[in-house]
Each structure stands twice: as C-alpha cells, then as structure tokens.
Amino acid sequence: ENSIQEAKNYENEKLHFKVHDMRMPFEEKFDAIFNLFTSFGYFDDDNDNFTTLNAMKDSLTEYGFAVIDFMNVHHVIKNLIPKETKSVDGIDFHIKRYVFDNHICKEIDFEDQGTKFHFTEKVKALTLNDFETMMEQAEIYLLDIFGDYKLKKFHKMESERLIMIFK
C-alpha cells in the first residue's frame, strides 16, 4: 500500500495506481497488466498462483497482454549466497538463504535500538515449465519469453530473469 501511495504522485489522465488483491479480477479491463520484480509465488496455497494467472487473463481487454517478471529459479539456486551480513546505517542485517520444500527462503535477523527482529520470506521456486503448465490449464497464450530487462533470449541456467508476455 505504501508503494502504491507513492506511485499515485505520478498519476495522470491515463495512468492510475490501485491497491488490489491480485487473485481477484478487476471489473474493468486493461490493455496491459504488469507483475514485476518477482511479486508472484508468495502465497501459502499454491492454487492462489493459478487463480492469480486467471485473474490477470480475465482483466485484459481483447487485445491486451500481461507481463510476469519472475526470478529465474535455476540461476538463483545456482548462485545462492547461503549467508551474508549487510550493514546499512549502522545496522547489521544477517541474511540466510536456502531452498526448502520447493521454495527459496530468506531469513533476515537484525537488532535496532535494543530490539531484535526476525523476518522470513519464501517464494515458490516456479520454473518456466511450471508457468507453462499453469498457463496451459488457464488457456493462456504465452507470446514470448525473455531472460533479462534488455529482453535477451531466455537461457535456463544463465538468464537472471524469467520474463513472460502472455494473453
């Protein structure tokens, strides 16, 4: 919600930002829908990933398209840094990364003003094959696949991103 509130500063007649549960289709239809920076795959129930794809499809105009920008799981796992410490503004963030139960997990521990904090995030390790299976079941047409933000060809083991354009 905070990010959407900040983005609203840049709205105009044609560009609008809304807080919305991505599992639910919009009543209105859009020419383009973007799901960026691995904002997919965080649900506790795997069925919600499929539901989200359907909601995106159902929220498109006849000629609209959608984009999912997801991490390339193969590249991430191959290059996973299991432990590191990052210092920001005098605070040491102790980060652990690992794969568990087909999820990529990250734990962050730090202390600020005498209070200890612990956060865990996990994202489903969805591969291109996983997305293709879900898209086929949802009757979604995958138009193109790219491996980075320069729209280079996707390579399973080398590409940093998995960027899918579909309708």
Side-chain angles (χ1 to χ4, degrees):
E1 288 186 31
N2 292 340
S3 296
I4 296 298
Q5 194 58 44
E6 177 64 26
K8 284 183 172 289
N9 293 325
Y10 302 96
E11 284 187 333
N12 58 44
E13 293 175 12
K14 295 192 180 230
L15 179 64
H16 305 281
F17 299 93
K18 298 178 183 182
V19 174
H20 183 79
D21 183 338
M22 68 175 128
R23 295 170 290 188
M24 306 298 297
F26 276 90
E27 288 182 25
E28 59 193 301
K29 303 289 184 190
F30 299 94
D31 293 327
I33 296 174
F34 297 89
N35 183 289
L36 304 174
F37 312 118
T38 309
S39 299
F40 194 94
Y42 287 91
F43 299 111
D44 290 329
D45 183 347
D46 286 343
N47 293 321
D48 286 335
N49 294 316
F50 181 75
T51 300
T52 298
L53 281 176
N54 271 314
M56 291 174 76
K57 177 186 79 169
D58 293 344
S59 299
L60 292 170
T61 63
E62 180 182 354
Y63 299 104
F65 66 92
V67 176
I68 292 180
D69 161 34
F70 198 72
M71 65 180 158
N72 176 7
V73 168
H74 301 288
H75 179 79
V76 168
I77 291 173
K78 182 174 90 171
N79 296 288
L80 197 69
I81 300 170
K83 286 185 178 181
E84 71 176 316
T85 299
K86 290 185 177 184
S87 296
V88 178
D89 296 332
I91 299 173
D92 292 333
F93 295 87
H94 305 282
I95 303 166
K96 287 191 249 181
R97 295 177 187 89
Y98 53 93
V99 179
F100 177 75
D101 193 26
N102 201 31
H103 286 79
I104 297 173
C105 304
K106 179 166 66 172
E107 293 185 29
I108 304 170
D109 290 287
F110 66 96
E111 187 174 329
D112 184 29
Q113 298 179 0
T115 303
K116 291 183 179 186
F117 294 90
H118 176 83
F119 296 97
T120 301
E121 74 178 42
K122 67 178 189 168
V123 61
K124 184 79 173 185
L126 295 166
T127 65
L128 175 57
N129 287 342
D130 295 325
F131 277 105
E132 287 174 329
T133 298
M134 283 189 290
M135 288 179 180
E136 186 176 317
Q137 291 171 351
E139 298 181 356
I140 289 172
Y141 181 67
L142 185 57
L143 297 168
D144 218 336
I145 305 161
F146 300 101
D148 65 19
Y149 296 129
K150 294 181 181 176
L151 304 182
K152 291 182 184 170
K153 184 177 176 174
F154 176 78
H155 296 281
K156 181 177 176 178
M157 297 308 292
E158 289 83 35
S159 296
E160 292 183 10
R161 307 299 301 167
L162 171 58
I163 300 171
M164 299 161 285
I165 302 174
F166 61 93
K167 60 184 314 133

